[in-house]
């Protein structure tokens, strides 16, 4: 009788990426990656993500009982099996703390570095991958994330200017404005070693939205609609950049807003 393998957790996948598993554990996960597309996609996401989760969730982490956690770690006895196994489960204090921190921020790994894991895990559509990473990140936002007044035009222009050099664009507050939706902030992030612009908004009815931009040489693509993490996404590209507009806003409305932004960004 064939025994169904247990799907690896994010902690196991993170340990695999970091080279902390035993040869037997690593071989098991690699086999599952080849056999199960969902495992491969999750591994790819965790390996490639380099978004500033640490910055976004600094207030939560500041409230974490660090001293208590450190005391708990110090009290854990060393297993005898650790003498014979180079990387037993939770043998690494960094990995154990990472799991605890992840539980404080809905299981999301904090401030992941960009790590290449071989061509066999990188054959998927690049544009789909970056949208998946962004959707995971944006899904964590709430209206409280962007509480407070919207910045004035001068502040908006200053934030956008910080994106222009890295992206090879000339963004203005007018070019990225969404009718009836407040501009909240513009951030320069990174995905797979490339600059990623995130312009965040707050829709008074449906909550956070974001317009994200990366450089792309995949060629022009007409706008298309997809659904990720409970949000609607309109994505498109021109000869030099790929774009996506994402939020919990109805499909028809987000398509209308995306077409409006697309016309201004291409002019």
């Amino acid at each position: 009788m064939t025994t169904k393998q247990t799907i690896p957790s994010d902690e196991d996948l993170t340990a695999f990426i970091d080279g902390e598993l035993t040869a037997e554990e690593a071989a098991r996960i690699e086999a599952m990656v080849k056999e199960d597309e969902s495992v491969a996609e999750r591994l790819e996401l965790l390996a490639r993500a380099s978004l500033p989760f640490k910055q976004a969730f600094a207030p939560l982490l500041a409230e974490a009982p660090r001293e208590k956690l450190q005391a708990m770690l110090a009290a854990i006895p060393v297993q005898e099996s650790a003498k014979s196994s180079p990387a037993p489960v939770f043998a690494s204090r960094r990995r154990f703390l990472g799991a605890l921190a992840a539980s404080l921020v809905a299981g999301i790994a904090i401030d992941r570095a960009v790590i290449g894991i071989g061509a066999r895990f990188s054959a998927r559509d690049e544009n789909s991958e970056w949208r998946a990473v962004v959707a995971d990140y944006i899904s964590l936002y709430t209206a409280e994330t962007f509480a407070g007044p919207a910045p004035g035009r001068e502040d908006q222009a200053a934030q956008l200017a910080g994106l222009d050099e890295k992206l090879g664009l000339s963004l203005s507050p007018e070019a990225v404005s969404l009718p009836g939706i407040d501009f909240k902030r513009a951030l320069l992030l990174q995905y797979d070693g490339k600059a990623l612009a995130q312009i965040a908004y707050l829709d008074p009815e449906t909550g956070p939205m974001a317009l994200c931009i990366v450089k792309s040489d995949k060629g022009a693509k007409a706008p298309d609609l997809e659904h990720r993490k409970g949000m609607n996404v309109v994505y498109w590209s021109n000869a030099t950049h790929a774009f996506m507009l994402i939020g919990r806003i109805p499909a028809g409305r987000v398509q209308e807003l995306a077409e409006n932004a697309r016309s201004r960004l291409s002019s």
Side-chain angles (χ1 to χ4, degrees):
M1 182 177 65
T2 302
T3 302
K4 185 178 180 180
Q5 297 191 64
T6 303
I7 299 297
S9 66
D10 283 0
E11 289 76 31
D12 288 336
L13 293 175
T14 300
F16 175 76
I17 294 167
D18 292 344
E20 295 182 346
L21 296 181
T22 63
E24 181 180 355
E25 290 171 327
R28 179 181 71 85
I29 288 182
E30 186 164 345
M32 293 194 69
V33 167
K34 292 178 180 178
E35 297 171 1
D36 190 326
E37 185 175 356
S38 65
V39 175
E41 289 177 349
R42 188 61 184 169
L43 181 65
E44 182 75 15
L45 188 150
L46 290 171
R48 284 178 175 268
S50 184
L51 299 174
F53 294 114
K54 186 175 182 180
Q55 174 186 342
F57 294 100
L60 284 178
L61 294 176
E63 296 175 3
R66 295 178 181 274
E67 294 183 3
K68 185 176 180 179
L69 294 179
Q70 290 288 359
M72 290 169 61
L73 285 171
I76 297 174
V78 177
Q79 300 278 337
E80 284 298 319
S81 59
K83 298 177 181 179
S84 58
S85 174
V89 177
F90 292 124
S92 164
R93 289 194 177 198
R94 183 186 61 78
R95 184 179 168 200
F96 186 71
L97 277 174
L100 289 173
S103 70
L104 293 174
V105 291
I108 301 299
I110 297 173
D111 202 19
R112 293 293 308 148
V114 177
I115 303 173
I117 57 174
R120 65 188 184 280
F121 303 134
S122 302
R124 306 179 188 282
D125 171 45
E126 175 189 347
N127 287 331
S128 177
E129 289 170 0
W130 85 275
R131 296 197 306 272
V133 172
V134 170
D136 261 17
Y137 187 61
I138 301 300
S139 69
L140 301 173
Y141 286 158
T142 68
E144 287 72 22
T145 307
F146 301 117
R153 189 194 182 284
E154 287 188 6
D155 287 338
Q156 293 181 32
Q159 292 180 33
L160 292 168
L163 311 178
D164 289 347
E165 182 179 352
K166 293 290 185 179
L167 287 169
L169 288 172
S170 182
L171 299 173
S172 68
E174 291 75 23
V176 301
S177 66
L178 299 180
I181 298 174
D182 286 340
F183 175 111
K184 283 296 184 176
R185 70 184 186 195
L187 291 175
L188 181 64
L189 311 177
Q190 179 176 284
Y191 166 75
D192 198 22
K194 297 185 296 186
L196 188 161
Q198 180 198 104
I199 304 163
Y201 308 84
L202 186 62
D203 175 40
E205 295 182 1
T206 62
M209 294 184 64
L211 172 66
C212 298
I213 310 169
V214 293
K215 284 186 175 181
S216 174
D217 58 3
K218 303 299 181 182
K221 185 183 186 312
D224 205 350
L225 176 71
E226 65 183 2
H227 192 71
R228 292 180 182 270
K229 295 288 183 178
M231 297 173 288
N232 286 312
V233 182
V234 175
Y235 60 96
W236 70 96
S237 60
N238 58 26
T240 56
H241 294 84
F243 305 80
M244 65 180 285
L245 182 64
I246 180 172
R248 293 182 177 84
I249 194 166
R253 176 64 172 149
V254 76
Q255 288 176 303
E256 178 185 337
L257 290 169
E259 186 56 38
N260 187 293
R262 178 171 172 257
S263 64
R264 283 182 276 109
L265 289 167
S266 61
S267 60

